[in-house]
Amino acid sequence: MRFSEVRDMEASLMYQALSRGSVDLISAYSTDGRLQAYDVRLLEDDRRVFPPYEAAPVAREAALQSTPGLAAPWALLAGRLDEAAMRRLNYEVDERKRSPRAVAREFLERRRLLGGKTPRRDGRSVVIGTKAFTEGVLLGELMAQLVESHLGVRVEKRFNLGGTMIVHNALKAGAIDAYAEYTGTALTTILGLPVAAERAAAYKTVAREYPI
């Protein structure tokens, strides 16, 4: 397929341009809530040009050691945030203008994933960071609320820090203790490795090679 023109534009403008017929095709995220708002049809990546992008928490080893059980609450999300679920959460924030904190809490309450503890004001806190986009902040809220309600540990939120390498470097420097990263992003952008088409293989490689 050949294109007569390629236009570089901000993400929100892409959807508006598509709906007006100004462009014929855009590059979109499969979990973007605007897919629903603008009735966009996703095309299958049958040639597997893109790696799998599945979100997973990454944390400093020092944080895992100093806060026993830190990873356990996050494991409760395993298998519960498929593309459709994440798309709905993003839609609530981007299109209905609800706060990420409220949307995340509603999701956890409906699935009975919240614990019954109240975070202590004294003692060590866990610092969770996020990238500067809606889904990243939602994932950060989910991680934070699970830690606070299950471990009773206060979470310091450093959200909307910036792009991938800014947040990754903050983790390496100890400025944050954890954040949500995507397997495809970690594989290609952080590790500089070839695309892995299989989800399990991508996750296994990232889990083994991620530099923290």
Side-chain angles (χ1 to χ4, degrees):
M1 180 182 294
R2 293 186 178 182
F3 300 98
S4 60
E5 182 182 358
V6 177
R7 300 178 184 176
D8 186 17
M9 59 181 67
E10 197 271 335
S12 62
L13 298 179
M14 290 195 306
Y15 290 94
Q16 296 175 21
L18 187 66
S19 68
R20 293 195 303 264
S22 302
V23 299
D24 300 308
L25 193 72
I26 64 172
S27 175
Y29 296 107
S30 60
T31 55
D32 197 322
R34 289 167 292 197
L35 295 174
Q36 175 182 340
Y38 288 90
D39 193 27
V40 176
R41 178 182 176 184
L42 285 175
L43 302 180
E44 180 184 359
D45 180 21
D46 56 349
R47 296 193 177 187
R48 297 185 175 183
V49 174
F50 301 103
Y53 286 91
E54 296 186 324
V58 291
R60 295 190 306 118
E61 187 63 36
L64 296 173
Q65 292 178 0
S66 63
T67 307
L70 179 59
W74 299 333
L76 296 173
L77 291 173
R80 298 178 185 270
L81 278 175
D82 58 14
E83 290 184 351
M86 198 70 242
R87 194 180 302 133
R88 286 193 295 271
L89 298 185
N90 285 324
Y91 176 83
E92 290 295 314
V93 176
D94 285 331
E95 297 302 319
R96 299 190 64 191
K97 308 304 178 185
R98 298 178 61 197
S99 73
R101 181 178 181 181
V103 172
R105 185 171 185 84
E106 181 180 79
F107 175 86
L108 295 173
E109 287 178 339
R110 286 183 174 180
R111 285 153 183 79
R112 300 181 180 180
L113 296 178
L114 283 174
K117 294 186 177 180
T118 300
R120 300 183 299 271
R121 293 189 177 183
D122 58 343
R124 185 186 182 280
S125 63
V126 172
V127 183
I128 294 179
T130 77
K131 300 181 186 183
F133 72 114
T134 298
E135 186 169 314
V137 175
L138 277 165
L139 292 170
E141 278 290 353
L142 291 169
M143 291 170 65
Q145 292 182 33
L146 284 170
V147 168
E148 290 189 335
S149 65
H150 283 273
L151 302 183
V153 175
R154 180 172 57 86
V155 171
E156 180 181 344
K157 301 174 184 177
R158 296 183 183 174
F159 291 179
N160 290 300
L161 291 177
T164 295
M165 296 311 299
I166 290 175
V167 184
H168 168 67
N169 288 332
L171 184 75
K172 288 180 63 179
I176 61 175
D177 294 317
Y179 79 103
E181 187 53 273
Y182 298 88
T183 52
T185 304
L187 192 70
T188 58
T189 304
I190 296 175
L191 298 175
L193 297 175
V195 171
E198 297 297 330
R199 294 185 175 189
Y203 179 86
K204 185 176 180 180
T205 300
V206 171
R208 182 181 67 247
E209 301 293 339
Y210 197 92
I212 53 175

